[in-house]
Amino acid sequence: MRQLAELGTREITLIGGEAYLRDDWTLIAQAVVSHGMRAGLTSGGRGLDRERALAAKRAGVDSVSISLDGLEAAHDRQRGVRGSFVAGLSALAELRDAGVGFTVNTQLNRLSLPDLERLFDLLVTEGVQGWQVQLTVPMGRAADRPEWLLEPWELLDLYPRLAALATRGREHGVVFWPANNIGYYGPYEALLRNRGSEGDRIWQGCPAGTYALGIESDGSIKGCPSLPTQSYVGGNVRERSLRSIWDETRELRYTRDRTLDELWGFCQSCYYRDECRAGCTWTAHSFFGRPGNNPYCHHRALEHERLGVRETFVQREAAPGLPFDHGRFEIAVVSAGAATAVRHLPLVE
């Protein structure tokens, strides 16, 4: 915590699994706060009972984000455990009663999309303060279920819906908070990112190793907690200082030192390449095994639509079964009619 504070860290989010399965999780949260940083927690909500909610309050946890990936059927299917959705709602109630701020985060995929508007209504009813959404990529349980993933051209229908929900959020006090693979220079960018100063309202490049980092449970340091361990760990805080890992290692400096020569595919020739630098590193690597070409981009989908074509994913390799692993995909460009007619994988378990 001292080293993080010395780097200028302002906020630390404890994640898991479930961080509160550690006996010392409140000591960790207290250490965050005592070093002048904001302490948050992200949770699936299972086991976040009254005792733990009150413990979070006493430890100084500022806000807890509960995962609700659609309504009950869609959420429980993604989580793989029946009762997960009900547990998430129960956690919201316990946090509310304990006086801890709470938000919700949601995966956007073929399972959750039919639920978005009704889920928003539920968030308003529950008094949720903020809603973070992100597009599901082929990692975690989705690594083995490519049929859950949205095709790039499906963003054309998704973004008007998100814009409408962001507008409703303003009316009901629910702050819409897009994660790092949402958006990119479409007509709704300012609305979706409408927070803080004017400069915060457009995408300004991948934050991994720029103003974010991830610490794994064994002390391994990488630029973003979602990035695959094998390719992006720059060192271990048990073996060298956090400052030296941040300042000196290629893995942590990657986005700071990235050049346009490292972009490929559509992103290499994109009008916004200087500012965007191919969007979210995690998204690109999860699909293609390397960064530099982001398939989940609104501007990109709009450009292909203008040309009468659409991009679709073709899986080439399955996930090998390692921590933070992913499959490998390629992009096929087909006519708009062919992409709409062929949604190649059914929703089956």
Side-chain angles (χ1 to χ4, degrees):
M1 294 306 166
R2 176 185 56 77
Q3 292 184 58
L4 285 164
E6 289 173 351
L7 277 181
T9 304
R10 294 182 294 178
E11 177 179 355
I12 295 176
T13 301
L14 307 180
I15 60 177
E18 294 295 354
Y20 51 72
L21 293 180
R22 291 182 59 107
D23 292 337
D24 59 353
W25 73 279
T26 55
L27 297 179
I28 297 172
Q30 289 168 8
V32 172
V33 176
S34 68
H35 283 82
M37 299 174 287
R38 181 172 177 257
L41 178 71
T42 295
S43 169
R46 293 187 62 85
L48 211 171
D49 54 18
R50 179 165 302 179
E51 180 180 349
R52 284 175 172 144
L54 290 171
K57 178 68 173 179
R58 291 192 296 268
V61 172
D62 181 74
S63 180
V64 177
S65 181
I66 299 296
S67 300
L68 293 179
D69 299 320
L71 297 178
E72 185 169 8
H75 176 89
D76 284 4
R77 186 170 176 184
Q78 290 172 73
R79 296 283 153 171
V81 179
R82 290 183 180 179
S84 295
F85 180 79
V86 172
L89 289 184
S90 176
L92 293 180
E94 298 296 356
L95 292 166
R96 184 190 307 112
D97 292 345
V100 179
F102 56 92
T103 62
V104 163
N105 61 84
T106 299
Q107 291 283 327
L108 302 178
N109 52 54
R110 291 183 67 208
L111 296 176
S112 63
L113 247 59
D115 295 343
L116 288 186
E117 285 75 15
R118 289 177 295 160
L119 178 60
F120 176 84
D121 292 339
L122 178 63
L123 302 189
V124 173
T125 300
E126 293 291 332
V128 170
Q129 300 160 348
W131 188 24
Q132 184 181 65
V133 297
Q134 74 174 17
L135 294 160
T136 301
V137 305
M139 184 180 277
R141 283 175 52 77
D144 301 317
R145 295 164 178 84
E147 69 273 15
W148 290 3
L149 305 174
L150 294 177
E151 297 282 14
W153 54 269
E154 291 181 287
L155 302 182
L156 298 172
D157 294 325
L158 171 63
Y159 278 106
R161 293 174 63 188
L162 293 183
L165 291 170
T167 300
R168 291 181 60 195
R170 291 181 179 181
E171 299 167 357
H172 293 281
V174 180
V175 177
F176 188 87
W177 195 268
N180 292 320
N181 66 2
I182 294 290
Y184 310 136
Y185 311 105
Y188 308 111
E189 185 76 359
L191 173 61
L192 297 179
R193 299 190 184 281
N194 189 14
R195 63 184 191 273
S197 65
E198 187 68 29
D200 290 330
R201 297 182 182 182
I202 61 170
W203 171 256
Q204 297 175 313
C206 179
T210 302
Y211 55 89
L213 62 78
I215 306 178
E216 293 191 357
S217 58
D218 65 352
S220 297
I221 306 298
K222 51 189 180 181
C224 167
S226 298
L227 287 170
T229 301
Q230 186 173 2
S231 301
Y232 290 96
V233 167
N236 194 294
V237 74
R238 299 183 182 193
E239 299 168 356
R240 59 188 298 188
S241 73
L242 189 57
R243 170 72 68 179
S244 68
I245 297 172
W246 177 268
D247 286 342
E248 300 168 11
T249 64
R250 176 186 61 83
E251 292 84 357
L252 271 292
R253 293 192 58 89
Y254 171 73
T255 52
R256 282 172 276 166
D257 297 339
R258 180 187 292 181
T259 68
L260 297 181
D261 293 337
E262 297 173 63
L263 308 186
W264 58 281
F266 179 92
C267 293
Q268 187 177 49
S269 59
C270 178
Y271 174 81
Y272 296 106
R273 63 186 181 275
D274 289 312
E275 294 83 15
C276 183
R277 303 298 175 96
C280 174
T281 301
W282 168 64
T283 298
H285 196 109
S286 296
F287 276 104
F288 305 127
R290 59 174 173 144
N293 186 25
N294 175 28
Y296 277 159
C297 166
H298 195 198
H299 167 71
R300 177 174 178 158
L302 288 167
E303 286 296 291
H304 282 101
E305 184 76 358
R306 183 176 61 83
L307 297 173
V309 297
R310 290 178 173 179
E311 290 184 311
T312 185
F313 293 121
V314 179
Q315 187 174 20
R316 295 305 187 193
E317 296 176 7
L322 302 172
F324 295 97
D325 70 351
H326 51 87
R328 189 177 68 82
F329 292 75
E330 293 177 357
I331 284 283
V333 180
V334 300
S335 69
T340 304
V342 181
R343 186 60 175 91
H344 54 279
L345 292 167
L347 280 171
V348 295
E349 277 293 330

